[in-house]
Amino acid sequence: MSRYRCRSCASEYALDERAWRCRCGGVFDLLFEPADDAFAELDGQPWSLWRYRKALPFSRSATGWEQVTLGEGATPLVPGGENLLFKLDFLMPSLSFKDRGSVVLVAKAAELGVKRLVADSSGNAGTSIAAYATRAGIEAEVFVPAATSEKKVAQLRGYGATVRRVEGTRADAAAAAIDRVETTGSFYASHVYNPLFHQGTKTFAFELWEQLGRSLPHTVVLPAGNGTLLVGASLGFAELVAAGLTERLPRLVAVQAERCAPLARAWRLEHHLEAGDVAPGPPQETAAEGIAIAEPPRLRQMLEIVDQSDGEVVTASEDGIAEARRELAARGIDVEPTAAAAYAGWREWTGAKGAPSTVIALTGAGLKSPFAPTAG
Amino acid sequence: MSRYRCRSCASEYALDERAWRCRCGGVFDLLFEPADDAFAELDGQPWSLWRYRKALPFSRSATGWEQVTLGEGATPLVPGGENLLFKLDFLMPSLSFKDRGSVVLVAKAAELGVKRLVADSSGNAGTSIAAYATRAGIEAEVFVPAATSEKKVAQLRGYGATVRRVEGTRADAAAAAIDRVETTGSFYASHVYNPLFHQGTKTFAFELWEQLGRSLPHTVVLPAGNGTLLVGASLGFAELVAAGLTERLPRLVAVQAERCAPLARAWRLEHHLEAGDVAPGPPQETAAEGIAIAEPPRLRQMLEIVDQSDGEVVTASEDGIAEARRELAARGIDVEPTAAAAYAGWREWTGAKGAPSTVIALTGAGLKSPFAPTAG
């Protein structure tokens, strides 16, 4: 049985203790290693992330996931220009990459006998958790800031979630969720704290490897807020290295919005770089709302991951995000601003000039945030 | 080189003549048969409908499709109840199954040297054609009724299409599009008339066969308006039979909305059945707008297909469609009303009781038509 281990003090916890972080305040890793034969015999496996189920923390005889999966994963990798590929990771049941993590987290919760879970995202993670919770027959209670749009609330309710509006900020909603978890013993289905989520997002790395003929690109560009994809992808690449299937980690380039860039700021400080375009002072509103996280609990871990890969943290401007979205749509790919931010950050960083083989992750569908009507 | 053949008078036309229907007024089939080895060596093929490219009307050395594809196809097939599976055919780049047909039609148009195309759908087909046209570098002009919502127009423009608003009905918009085609020689990228579209939608059948371990279900339930999926799926099943890979066609159950059910009415007349719930008089508005087609040009062909499969045409009520959508969302699957109609029709027809192995096609994503906000 896999266990949680604190990244700060190395204390260990069984999964069924339902801890969501360490008593010392540290965040968890999951102690788990894929089976030796995890990547053998992939032919004939389903067109979903469950083709890698021997690399996921379920016993080999477990079948509960079959009732929870919606066929998430196995997303397209398509040409985007010279040496450039786009991974359309929004082609998932709830229309964002978050389904990778949610399905693994919720399937594991179901295996642990969870009947009620709590989440605290009004964005793609909340929607995704709600979709898989209802599929698994688990009651979901989602805490959102009172200002959350009616449209998002309606979508959560459509998936059968109970929505709790909390006066104040995103952080206040999270605090209310945690209070609920602490007082009721509900399972905290957090895409930020629970490392089971990264067990799902790590399959992004496995797919790249398989789609590229069992090799990896030089560079992978990802939007980063709480780092759910960055942490997961990095874990997946490391597992491929550990399995002897590749020698080198790709360089990981994390993209933040200029207007809310705590990771970029910390990274530049650490590397003694100028602040550049990173806005000083408190975070401002950005169209890339999926990565607008002022104080990511895994910031330290994200910095380590970027540095270990010899990577970079770059930023995207608001104009750049809007322009990148339009340019992607002109290539037939309509994504939400958070996803466009990854492409925008890459363009601003490289000048869109020739670069070593690069994959950009596109993480949320355009209809999450439809194009505004225009005159004419 | 494959050719068009009129279903009425058997006249043949080369593809590069750019005819869209026969001089006699008949609709076209495509004269084309898959290669003998079309279904051999599927292991290691891409997770998209292009894994069946030897069964598509492109020469073996053709590579142009690689610049047009967005990885469409290879959609999930997930449990929906006893003997029931859902095919999540909305998990496509433009979020509807129409991408299957559009990618093949547009890739072939590009191969034929087309620079400008005309389409006349304000719904999923128009969006899909616009997405692939811009990807292929083809200018798209889309004719829509003047009453089309700003949101849909914005989406078409997002993909770079020129939108022409036409006073009057859907039929008036089609007439204006055809007039443009006739006067300018533009390519008419019609999902209704052009049988290349069905060459794409036929891959739905191939995928079912491969996902079910090289076998087919007893019954397949599909929403039907212009029959783009019904005609294509039927063609695909027939090609599997011709290749000796299966013995029997599945029974095809076509679902229409009670409020706009020309196919259901014709089918009941033909079989001397009572009109049942099919509304008399002119069609009324239905939430299932994707299948609200008052006079489908391929109606005769659709009837033949249903009868050849020993199938049925059934209808869904408006209440049934709304309830089916809610029930699907409660299983984690959010689809638009047109897709929910297929499930609603099946439920009303079978009483949702036990039935032989059945697959229901879910054809459009819920965000195409978001849940309305509710009080509370």
Side-chain angles (χ1 to χ4, degrees):
Chain A
M1 185 66 156
S2 47
R3 294 168 67 80
Y4 300 131
R5 183 174 60 188
C6 175
R7 289 183 62 84
S8 297
C9 73
S11 296
E12 293 185 17
Y13 297 77
L15 298 194
D16 57 11
E17 287 183 56
R18 299 205 186 172
W20 59 273
R21 68 174 176 188
C22 184
R23 280 176 292 268
C24 84
V27 294
F28 287 145
D29 282 336
L30 191 77
L31 287 176
F32 169 74
E33 282 177 17
D36 284 343
D37 64 346
F39 302 97
E41 299 170 32
L42 293 175
D43 286 341
Q45 292 296 327
W47 305 325
S48 79
L49 62 82
W50 295 94
R51 60 195 289 107
Y52 312 109
R53 62 187 174 279
K54 291 180 188 168
L56 297 176
F58 295 88
S59 78
R60 199 152 284 206
S61 59
T63 57
W65 63 271
E66 293 175 6
Q67 299 306 313
V68 182
T69 180
L70 289 165
E72 53 292 318
T75 57
L77 187 66
V78 304
E82 200 185 336
N83 284 331
L84 183 65
L85 294 164
F86 295 123
K87 177 94 167 143
L88 308 192
D89 225 38
F90 58 94
L91 290 181
M92 300 268 187
S94 85
L95 306 183
S96 87
F97 83 98
K98 290 289 203 307
D99 290 353
R100 291 189 188 278
S102 297
V103 71
V104 169
L105 178 58
V106 171
K108 196 73 192 177
E111 191 180 286
L112 293 169
V114 167
K115 304 292 180 213
R116 286 195 314 278
L117 63 75
V118 164
D120 60 8
S121 156
S122 59
N124 291 340
T127 303
S128 177
I129 289 281
Y132 286 96
T134 190
R135 183 146 186 91
I138 296 175
E139 279 181 44
E141 201 174 356
V142 184
F143 289 75
V144 304
T148 300
S149 77
E150 287 297 335
K151 188 177 146 186
K152 288 187 178 177
V153 170
Q155 195 179 14
L156 289 166
R157 288 196 179 127
Y159 283 126
T162 301
V163 179
R164 307 279 183 210
R165 291 167 177 279
V166 179
E167 290 301 326
T169 64
R170 173 78 184 75
D172 294 319
I178 289 167
D179 185 62
R180 183 66 133 215
V181 166
E182 303 281 356
T183 55
T184 63
S186 278
F187 182 83
Y188 187 27
S190 172
H191 62 290
V192 183
Y193 289 102
N194 198 314
L196 285 165
F197 208 93
H198 307 124
Q199 292 291 318
T201 53
K202 78 181 183 185
T203 59
F204 174 90
F206 302 160
E207 291 182 16
L208 275 191
W209 168 79
E210 195 178 352
Q211 288 175 299
L212 292 170
R214 310 204 163 204
S215 70
L216 290 175
H218 180 278
T219 299
V220 175
V221 181
L222 311 160
N226 273 311
T228 41
L229 186 53
L230 178 68
V231 173
S234 151
L235 177 62
F237 290 129
E239 289 182 356
L240 291 169
V241 171
L245 296 170
T246 181
E247 290 186 359
R248 200 184 48 76
L249 293 176
R251 179 173 56 168
L252 295 175
V253 177
V255 180
Q256 296 215 289
E258 259 177 36
R259 289 189 167 187
C260 183
L263 183 68
R265 188 183 302 177
W267 190 78
R268 289 175 193 188
L269 270 173
E270 189 180 80
H271 290 270
H272 309 291
L273 300 172
E274 298 288 329
D277 295 329
V278 178
Q284 299 166 269
E285 205 173 325
T286 167
E289 56 187 11
I291 49 174
I293 308 296
E295 297 182 24
R298 291 185 185 270
L299 186 134
R300 176 54 39 199
Q301 183 179 5
M302 291 158 75
L303 286 175
E304 287 169 14
I305 285 169
V306 170
D307 282 339
Q308 276 163 18
S309 80
D310 198 23
E312 302 232 9
V313 182
V314 305
T315 58
S317 66
E318 294 304 295
D319 285 351
I321 291 168
E323 173 57 28
R325 183 178 187 185
R326 282 192 296 271
E327 200 193 294
L328 287 167
R331 296 172 181 211
I333 305 168
D334 183 22
V335 297
E336 65 175 345
T338 303
Y343 184 44
W346 175 82
R347 281 158 53 103
E348 292 176 32
W349 175 52
T350 62
K353 285 195 295 276
S357 67
T358 298
V359 170
I360 300 180
L362 299 177
T363 49
L367 281 186
K368 297 260 188 185
S369 174
F371 277 110
T374 50
Chain B
M1 184 67 156
S2 49
R3 295 168 65 80
Y4 299 133
R5 182 172 63 186
C6 176
R7 289 183 61 82
S8 298
C9 74
S11 295
E12 293 184 16
Y13 298 76
L15 298 195
D16 57 10
E17 288 183 56
R18 299 205 187 172
W20 60 273
R21 70 173 173 187
C22 184
R23 280 177 292 269
C24 84
V27 294
F28 287 147
D29 283 336
L30 191 77
L31 288 177
F32 169 74
E33 283 177 15
D36 284 343
D37 64 345
F39 303 98
E41 298 170 32
L42 293 174
D43 285 342
Q45 292 296 326
W47 305 325
S48 79
L49 63 82
W50 296 94
R51 60 195 289 109
Y52 312 109
R53 62 187 175 280
K54 290 180 188 169
L56 297 176
F58 294 88
S59 78
R60 201 152 283 206
S61 59
T63 57
W65 64 270
E66 292 175 6
Q67 299 307 312
V68 182
T69 180
L70 289 166
E72 52 291 320
T75 58
L77 187 66
V78 305
E82 199 185 337
N83 285 331
L84 184 64
L85 296 164
F86 295 122
K87 177 92 168 143
L88 308 192
D89 225 38
F90 59 93
L91 291 181
M92 300 269 188
S94 85
L95 306 184
S96 87
F97 83 99
K98 290 289 202 309
D99 290 352
R100 290 189 189 277
S102 297
V103 70
V104 169
L105 178 57
V106 172
K108 196 73 192 177
E111 191 180 286
L112 293 169
V114 166
K115 303 290 180 214
R116 287 195 313 278
L117 63 77
V118 163
D120 60 9
S121 157
S122 59
N124 291 339
T127 303
S128 177
I129 290 281
Y132 287 96
T134 190
R135 183 146 187 93
I138 296 175
E139 279 181 44
E141 202 175 354
V142 184
F143 289 74
V144 304
T148 300
S149 76
E150 287 298 333
K151 187 178 147 187
K152 288 187 178 178
V153 170
Q155 196 180 13
L156 289 166
R157 289 199 177 123
Y159 283 126
T162 301
V163 179
R164 307 279 183 209
R165 292 166 175 278
V166 179
E167 289 302 326
T169 66
R170 174 77 184 73
D172 293 318
I178 289 167
D179 185 62
R180 183 66 135 214
V181 166
E182 302 282 356
T183 54
T184 62
S186 279
F187 182 83
Y188 187 27
S190 172
H191 61 291
V192 183
Y193 288 103
N194 198 314
L196 286 164
F197 208 94
H198 307 124
Q199 292 291 318
T201 52
K202 78 182 184 186
T203 58
F204 174 89
F206 302 161
E207 291 181 15
L208 275 191
W209 169 80
E210 195 177 352
Q211 287 174 299
L212 292 171
R214 312 208 162 199
S215 69
L216 291 175
H218 180 278
T219 298
V220 175
V221 181
L222 312 159
N226 273 311
T228 42
L229 186 53
L230 179 66
V231 173
S234 152
L235 177 62
F237 291 129
E239 289 182 356
L240 291 169
V241 171
L245 296 171
T246 182
E247 290 185 1
R248 200 184 48 76
L249 293 174
R251 180 173 55 169
L252 296 175
V253 177
V255 180
Q256 296 215 289
E258 259 176 34
R259 291 188 165 188
C260 183
L263 182 69
R265 188 183 301 178
W267 190 79
R268 289 175 193 189
L269 269 173
E270 189 180 79
H271 290 270
H272 308 290
L273 299 172
E274 298 288 330
D277 294 329
V278 177
Q284 299 166 269
E285 204 173 326
T286 167
E289 56 187 12
I291 50 174
I293 309 294
E295 298 182 25
R298 291 186 185 269
L299 186 135
R300 176 55 37 197
Q301 182 179 6
M302 290 157 75
L303 287 174
E304 288 169 13
I305 285 168
V306 170
D307 282 339
Q308 277 164 18
S309 80
D310 199 22
E312 302 232 9
V313 183
V314 305
T315 58
S317 66
E318 294 303 297
D319 285 352
I321 292 168
E323 174 56 28
R325 183 180 186 183
R326 282 192 295 271
E327 201 192 294
L328 287 166
R331 295 170 182 214
I333 305 170
D334 182 22
V335 297
E336 64 174 346
T338 302
Y343 184 45
W346 174 83
R347 280 158 53 102
E348 293 176 31
W349 175 52
T350 62
K353 285 195 294 282
S357 67
T358 298
V359 170
I360 300 180
L362 299 177
T363 49
L367 281 186
K368 296 260 187 184
S369 175
F371 277 109
T374 50

